[in-house]
Amino acid sequence: MHFTGRTWRPPYEAHSVIIQAASGCTYKKCRFCSLYKDECFRMSPMEEFEEDLAEIKSYQPYARRIFWTGANPFAMSYENLKLRALTVRDYLIKCQTMAMFASIRDIRDKEVWQLKKLRAMGINGLTIGTESGDDGTLALAGKGYTAADILEQCRKLDEAGIEYYFVYMTGLAGKGRGYWNAVNSAKLFSRLNPYFD
């Protein structure tokens, strides 16, 4: 398997097969994060991706869910995601769903019809590090988007039927701002349909 750099997955993906689709992060400007600071973003070449799928097939030919690693593989273009999703189905014929990390920024350049197609190909399960739904906290953390952006982009996922999960970071707002961070985040998240947060 071609694992490079930091490789991890959320606890709820513990039973998923893991494959590296990318390494590093496309953004690396979040002020609190040091996970990928020494790694350049790199998409795994298709040759490596297929070699890893062949290896997975030899050990777990009936894998039903696969988790693509990297800080945000969903940053790939629609065409690249489509190619890889279809390739997964070629190797793992029982695979039902593919999940990965994503940023709000990664959803922006994808149309709802594209998201629906990706869902039909099995991409269903985006872990999104929103960290907060409060504009002040998002700005302080250097996330590069607003609560309105979260609302707009996740409504596209809702329309496409793609399941998503939010990562919320308590304490991110700083001293004296925790209450408003929690209240504003709850207000925003209540207008959306994350599978959990």
Side-chain angles (χ1 to χ4, degrees):
M1 300 294 289
H2 294 87
F3 289 118
T4 59
R6 188 179 295 269
T7 301
W8 65 289
R9 50 96 183 120
Y12 44 84
E13 297 289 353
H15 299 292
S16 303
V17 174
I18 297 177
I19 189 170
Q20 180 172 283
S23 56
C25 175
T26 58
Y27 186 64
K28 293 200 294 188
K29 295 177 185 175
C30 297
R31 293 193 178 99
F32 58 87
C33 182
S34 61
L35 279 172
Y36 304 100
K37 67 178 182 179
D38 297 323
E39 291 181 50
C40 293
F41 180 80
R42 170 186 179 266
M43 287 189 292
S44 298
M46 275 304 296
E47 181 181 352
E48 287 183 7
F49 194 71
E50 287 203 56
E51 286 175 4
D52 289 350
L53 284 171
E55 187 171 344
I56 291 168
K57 182 179 179 179
S58 70
Y59 289 100
Q60 295 190 31
Y62 304 115
R64 300 175 78 82
R65 184 172 175 92
I66 188 167
F67 186 83
W68 302 8
T69 64
N72 56 325
F74 204 67
M76 294 181 197
S77 68
Y78 164 73
E79 290 297 334
N80 200 340
L81 289 166
K82 174 182 172 182
L83 173 62
R84 287 169 193 261
L86 293 174
T87 303
V88 168
R89 304 307 279 273
D90 286 342
Y91 281 87
L92 303 172
I93 60 172
K94 298 288 187 181
C95 183
Q96 296 177 341
T97 54
M98 291 161 257
M100 66 196 77
F101 291 114
S103 166
I104 293 299
R105 289 177 298 278
D106 302 337
I107 306 165
R108 281 182 186 152
D109 64 349
K110 295 173 179 71
E111 302 292 334
V112 172
W113 71 265
Q114 294 174 320
L115 295 170
K116 287 181 178 179
K117 293 261 190 186
L118 293 173
R119 173 64 184 90
M121 293 172 214
I123 292 179
N124 189 34
L126 300 181
T127 295
I128 305 172
T130 52
E131 326 318 350
S132 173
D134 172 69
D135 279 333
T137 305
L138 291 168
L140 180 66
K143 291 300 293 182
Y145 50 77
T146 65
D149 294 325
I150 296 172
L151 186 66
E152 180 182 2
Q153 300 309 317
C154 289
R155 281 188 169 163
K156 287 163 60 177
L157 297 179
D158 286 335
E159 188 177 346
I162 292 179
E163 192 174 280
Y164 56 95
Y165 326 103
F166 287 158
V167 176
Y168 171 77
M169 295 182 69
T170 58
L172 190 62
K175 187 175 181 180
R177 285 281 307 157
Y179 174 80
W180 290 112
N181 180 28
V183 167
N184 291 332
S185 296
K187 285 180 180 177
L188 174 68
F189 298 163
S190 294
R191 298 173 68 188
L192 293 166
N193 297 290
Y195 190 72
F196 53 76
D197 52 38

